[in-house]
Amino acid sequence: MTDNTILIKDALILNPLDFKEIKGSLLIKNDKIAEIGTDIDESNVDKVIDAKGKILLPGFVNTHTHLSMTLFRGLADDLSLDSWLNDNIWPMEANLTSEYCYIGALLGAIELIKSGTTTFSDMYFYMEDVAKAVEESGIRAVLSYGMIDFGDDEKREHEIKENIALFEKCNGMADGRIKVFFGPHSPYTASKDLLEDVRWLANEYNTGIHIHVSETQKEINDSLEAHDLRPFEYLDSIGFLGPDVVAAHSVWLSHNEIEIIKRNNVKISHNPCSNMKLASGIAPIQDLITNDICVGIGTDGASSNNNLDLIEELRTASLLQKVNLLNPKALTSNEALAMGTIKGAEVLGLEQEIGSIEVGKKADLILIDTNNANMVPDSSATSSNIIYSANGYNVDTTICDGKILMENRKLTTLDEEEIYKKARKAIEELKEASKEKVINELNEILSKKEWGYLLKDYCYKNELFFENECSFFKYIDTKTVINNIISCFVNNYTKYK
């Protein structure tokens, strides 16, 4: 079999293992880094990339997102997590289909590739269709099915079967670029039985666990009321925690919980933009790092961020720790860049394959173009220039598994315009489906003798008549719904009075 070779020539190579800067070249052979040096023979190379004026980095690792939620970008802003999730996202998700999740995942893949992310960890629904999008786009992924049972035995069995089916069908798919974890949504949506089953299954299948933990103050209060324990204390008490657990958010942590996380070698995914936007709080990242706890970076879904630009996320993470601690040395540019690369790889158990620039590792690499106004002059340390000055638009080339996914800002595997067109159509259809659901619910109410009381109660619960504060109806044409109610009142008044 003939080797496929790519030479990245004359780059500024920055390795997050030691942050030494080397001006040199790198040879890719098939899917791996084959050679790093200053004088690599290019006579028999299939493709040469001129990287003068560009920084060569490992591809970024997004340790927590919900890729298909790109369809919900901007759908429910300026809300608390509880209102955002219960009154907006979950009702809209009720209308999702496999095709919508596939289109949303393709849209997300475009954004990841164009901003330099080559690996992401995802928890959502219709994950086999997300896997299909991953395979087509060429990126690397760790996928888990979001399991929610709320204590229902039948639901628990269904959720477990879904995640096992995902593992058996998709783990190792796409030439090994896809791995599957188990994904109990959170301690407040997954029962103790489900959490204990997941712990056993992760051991049985030798894979990881992806879960939301301690995202809001309300979650802490609810856990204390339900279990007389904080979330990490509760998970520790049932034997759930271990080095294969990735805990997303981890905002509200006590000193005892930090000790629990460290003792169990739990990995943390920090999502600063989402935590800020939903006013969830500020995670104690510097304390975690000081305690030698492995922390990676995540964007969360685009519906609560609202983008997937990991460079922007890393910058926000660094600045947030500095201002929160009133310490300009908190979360330095080197520490932040490590979070986005080698530490992110470690969070997902992939540090032997990706996350740094070493011979024998997978060729997941990006080039950042320094010939841009926001990158000139490059007089500071290279990591500083990346974290504090750059953004995703400075990424010129993205390579994953030795294949070029973007070069000179042009995608090679996906049709951008066609995907944008399908995504716009999908969200309009989802909005229309939600509107129809509301109208059907109203018509059902108006068919009952006590319709006046029921309608008043329905509108009160859903804040229907408060357009500026409206949550569940914010993404619906509120005027149309109200007109429908008025019309129903007129048409049914004589019949039901």
Side-chain angles (χ1 to χ4, degrees):
M1 180 179 174
T2 305
D3 289 327
N4 179 47
T5 53
I6 301 170
L7 178 64
I8 301 174
K9 187 178 178 181
D10 298 331
L12 177 59
I13 302 171
L14 182 61
N15 191 347
L17 283 179
D18 55 16
F19 290 96
K20 290 181 179 177
E21 300 175 11
I22 303 170
K23 289 188 177 180
S25 302
L26 181 147
L27 180 67
I28 298 169
K29 190 175 289 186
N30 299 322
D31 61 340
K32 290 186 171 64
I33 299 171
E35 187 179 351
I36 303 168
T38 56
D39 188 25
I40 300 176
D41 182 16
E42 61 180 273
S43 58
N44 295 314
V45 172
D46 297 316
K47 181 176 179 62
V48 177
I49 297 175
D50 183 0
K52 286 179 183 175
K54 296 182 176 68
I55 302 166
L56 180 63
L57 285 173
F60 291 117
V61 181
N62 187 337
T63 57
H64 177 71
T65 190
H66 311 286
L67 202 60
S68 297
M69 292 184 82
T70 50
L71 292 181
F72 300 157
R73 194 194 316 269
L75 204 60
D77 293 332
D78 304 324
L79 297 168
S80 68
L81 174 67
D82 193 53
S83 177
W84 174 84
L85 192 60
N86 289 286
D87 301 334
N88 292 270
I89 298 304
W90 281 349
M92 189 65 108
E93 285 177 342
N95 298 299
L96 281 173
T97 65
S98 59
E99 181 64 17
Y100 290 146
C101 282
Y102 168 64
I103 293 167
L106 285 175
L107 178 62
I110 290 175
E111 192 172 356
L112 292 176
I113 293 167
K114 296 200 80 170
S115 55
T117 294
T118 53
T119 300
F120 72 99
S121 180
D122 195 89
M123 177 202 292
Y124 209 51
F125 315 116
Y126 299 105
M127 295 307 290
E128 290 182 13
D129 298 276
V130 175
K132 179 183 173 186
V134 170
E135 184 168 37
E136 292 174 9
S137 65
I139 52 180
R140 193 179 305 280
V142 176
L143 307 180
S144 54
Y145 173 77
M147 294 185 280
I148 297 172
D149 71 338
F150 289 116
D152 185 296
D153 290 344
E154 186 176 339
K155 178 67 171 170
R156 182 175 73 253
E157 290 180 13
H158 172 269
E159 300 293 83
I160 289 171
K161 286 178 181 178
E162 284 283 345
N163 212 141
I164 289 174
L166 176 68
F167 186 94
E168 292 178 344
K169 184 170 183 179
C170 298
N171 192 55
M173 183 176 156
D175 299 321
R177 286 186 284 109
I178 296 177
K179 295 187 184 302
V180 174
F181 280 9
F182 284 92
H185 177 268
S186 65
Y188 62 89
T189 57
S191 67
K192 179 184 175 185
D193 287 341
L194 177 55
L195 293 169
E196 289 176 338
D197 287 347
V198 165
R199 178 66 273 169
W200 183 86
L201 287 165
N203 293 342
E204 185 74 9
Y205 284 85
N206 191 29
T207 192
I209 299 172
H210 185 180
I211 185 171
H212 303 81
V213 188
S214 297
E215 187 172 357
T216 66
Q217 181 71 67
K218 182 180 185 301
E219 184 183 340
I220 309 304
N221 295 338
D222 289 347
S223 180
L224 286 168
E225 184 176 341
H227 311 294
D228 201 28
L229 295 167
R230 296 171 69 91
F232 275 104
E233 293 171 341
Y234 167 64
L235 292 174
D236 189 41
S237 74
I238 63 173
F240 180 85
L241 300 175
D244 55 358
V245 173
V246 179
H249 300 296
S250 304
V251 174
W252 294 90
L253 302 176
S254 67
H255 292 300
N256 183 51
E257 285 182 296
I258 291 176
E259 285 300 314
I260 288 170
I261 291 167
K262 181 176 182 178
R263 185 176 72 246
N264 288 281
N265 195 16
V266 173
K267 311 303 189 296
I268 303 299
S269 174
H270 179 41
N271 296 249
C273 287
S274 178
N275 294 156
M276 291 167 68
K277 186 167 183 282
L278 295 170
S280 299
I282 303 173
I285 298 304
Q286 191 62 61
D287 284 349
L288 294 172
I289 292 173
T290 301
N291 278 277
D292 294 322
I293 292 167
C294 182
V295 181
I297 195 80
T299 57
D300 212 348
S303 56
S304 64
N305 187 294
N306 289 5
N307 67 47
L308 305 178
D309 186 340
L310 219 56
I311 300 178
E312 180 180 305
E313 201 77 29
L314 291 166
R315 178 175 184 268
T316 301
S318 178
L319 299 185
L320 187 59
Q321 292 301 303
K322 295 177 194 302
V323 72
N324 186 49
L325 299 172
L326 298 179
N327 179 5
K329 295 184 178 180
L331 196 57
T332 65
S333 59
N334 280 0
E335 289 175 323
L337 191 57
M339 280 176 61
T341 52
I342 188 61
K343 289 298 182 181
E346 186 180 342
V347 165
L348 302 181
L350 297 173
E351 69 274 18
Q352 298 303 315
E353 298 181 55
I354 62 170
S356 59
I357 298 178
E358 300 177 79
V359 171
K361 278 199 168 183
K362 292 286 189 179
D364 289 14
L365 303 161
I366 62 172
L367 286 171
I368 293 179
D369 189 358
T370 62
N371 192 34
N372 287 286
N374 63 316
M375 299 290 285
V376 176
D378 54 351
S379 54
S380 60
T382 301
S383 67
S384 172
N385 213 24
I386 294 165
I387 297 301
Y388 303 131
S389 301
N391 58 57
Y393 288 100
N394 295 122
V395 177
D396 174 85
T397 299
T398 300
I399 298 169
C400 183
D401 215 41
K403 295 181 176 61
I404 298 172
L405 309 185
M406 179 177 75
E407 186 176 13
N408 299 321
R409 297 290 301 166
K410 300 294 183 185
L411 296 186
T412 64
T413 58
L414 298 174
D415 185 337
E416 279 187 79
E417 293 305 318
E418 182 63 22
I419 292 169
Y420 296 159
K421 179 181 175 182
K422 288 181 178 179
R424 290 186 179 104
K425 183 173 183 289
I427 190 56
E428 289 307 314
E429 290 175 355
L430 281 164
K431 286 180 180 179
E432 188 61 34
S434 294
K435 186 188 298 185
E436 287 299 317
K437 181 175 180 291
V438 169
I439 291 172
N440 289 339
E441 287 174 350
L442 291 170
N443 283 325
E444 176 67 20
I445 288 171
L446 291 165
S447 70
K448 300 184 184 302
K449 189 173 182 178
E450 64 274 25
W451 64 271
Y453 169 77
L454 293 172
L455 184 60
K456 182 180 178 181
D457 185 59
Y458 180 87
C459 293
Y460 173 77
K461 286 180 178 178
N462 293 292
E463 304 173 19
L464 181 57
F465 294 105
F466 301 95
E467 190 168 354
N468 291 333
E469 300 174 19
C470 177
S471 54
F472 180 63
F473 292 91
K474 194 168 186 178
Y475 47 81
I476 297 173
D477 182 347
T478 312
K479 185 177 179 181
T480 298
V481 177
I482 293 174
N483 285 341
N484 179 267
I485 294 173
I486 293 170
S487 176
C488 289
F489 263 68
V490 172
N491 293 338
N492 292 288
Y493 179 77
T494 303
K495 181 177 178 181
Y496 294 115
K497 71 176 181 178

